[in-house]
Each structure stands twice: as structure tokens, then as C-alpha cells.
Amino acid sequence: MAEEPLEISEATLVDVEAVHRIESASFPAPWRREFFAAEVLGQNRFNIVARKGGVLVGYLFGMWIFDEMHVNKIAVEAAHRRHGIAHALMQRCFDFARDHEIFSISLEVRQSNRAAQEFYRFLEFETSYIRKRYYPDGEAAVVMVRAM
């Protein structure tokens, strides 16, 4: 049986509940539902979701100003990880950046999350600096940047 194709589209308010469910299962300090709703309605936002068989399985929420972009959130439902979904979401982000003359993309990742850091290095992000006590539990963030 063929695998369901991945569909990527702009996030809407209808998606917020499913996005928040994945967020809550993925992060020790998840964003509140209201944050995602505000982002969907915000200006200069790049918010996309990934679906398989019509079911939301991942998302990327970002923002940009002038020629810089920041990835605020990206996550994939646990059962669908390591199947290229995060990679596909990031590629859409890169396409958007190129189309809008954005010259750099930044993000933060937990210092303890080596797998995520490796993933971003694979996507040509470089460590810029460590932001101490960034997360609510006191853990530092590794700030990573990719030049476009």
C-alpha cells in the first residue's frame, strides 16, 4: 500500500487545536493555544502545517522582518518523526525566504537537544551563540543561523 503523500499548506485558526496537541506532546514548556492563534492572525508571519491523509502531523511557525526570518516553532507528531516532514517544512521555509529576499534565518534549540542541532547543521545552520537561561526551566538555548 502506498504511503499517503505529504500536503503542506498555510496554517489557519482551524489548525490551532491540532498544532497545540502536537506542541504539548513535544515540548516541556509548550506555547499556549492562544499564542498559536495570535500567530495565525499576525502580520509578517510564515505559518505552515503538514498533513498526511488529511491529518495534521507537523507545523512550522515563523516570522520575518525586512530581510531576516526567525523560526519560532517547529514540531512533528512523534509517530511521524524521521520521515522527512520537518525537512519538508524547512524547505518550504527556505523557498519562502528566497522568494521574499530574506538573507538569514535564525532559531533557538535546547542546548541538550543534540539531535535537533545535528538536523539544523545538516540544513546548513551554524551555531551563533548560547543564550543562557532561555527556557522556563533555566536551560540554555543554542542560537543557530543560516545564511540564504
Side-chain angles (χ1 to χ4, degrees):
M1 187 167 161
E3 187 175 334
E4 293 281 347
L6 185 66
E7 300 168 3
I8 297 177
S9 60
E10 187 174 339
T12 68
L13 287 175
V14 173
D15 299 319
V16 168
E17 189 66 35
V19 165
H20 188 257
R21 180 182 46 76
I22 294 169
E23 171 81 2
S24 296
S26 300
F27 298 103
W31 270 15
R32 294 194 335 240
R33 193 175 286 106
E34 299 81 30
F35 292 176
F36 287 106
E39 289 297 306
V40 166
L41 299 173
Q43 295 292 315
N44 294 343
R45 297 302 192 263
F46 178 75
N47 304 317
I48 56 176
V49 293
R51 288 184 176 80
K52 281 205 166 231
V55 176
L56 198 146
V57 296
Y59 59 88
L60 183 152
F61 275 59
M63 60 177 287
W64 84 94
I65 184 163
F66 304 115
D67 60 357
E68 296 179 5
M69 187 170 194
H70 185 78
V71 174
N72 292 319
K73 285 288 184 175
I74 181 172
V76 174
E77 189 173 72
H80 294 276
R81 291 182 187 150
R82 299 186 115 26
H83 292 101
I85 296 170
H87 189 267
L89 290 166
M90 289 301 293
Q91 288 301 321
R92 277 296 168 93
C93 182
F94 298 157
D95 293 344
F96 177 88
R98 278 189 284 277
D99 291 346
H100 290 81
E101 298 181 353
I102 292 168
F103 297 114
S104 69
I105 301 175
S106 63
L107 53 81
E108 293 92 10
V109 61
R110 283 183 175 268
Q111 193 168 29
S112 63
N113 192 343
R114 302 286 183 214
Q117 291 172 48
E118 283 302 313
F119 171 67
Y120 295 124
R121 275 194 276 284
F122 172 77
L123 294 175
E124 300 178 1
F125 280 82
E126 296 180 1
T127 298
S128 180
Y129 61 96
I130 305 299
R131 185 172 281 150
K132 295 182 181 190
R133 297 177 301 281
Y134 179 74
Y135 294 99
D137 62 4
E139 185 173 354
V142 177
V143 178
M144 300 184 81
V145 178
R146 182 186 197 271
M148 295 301 297

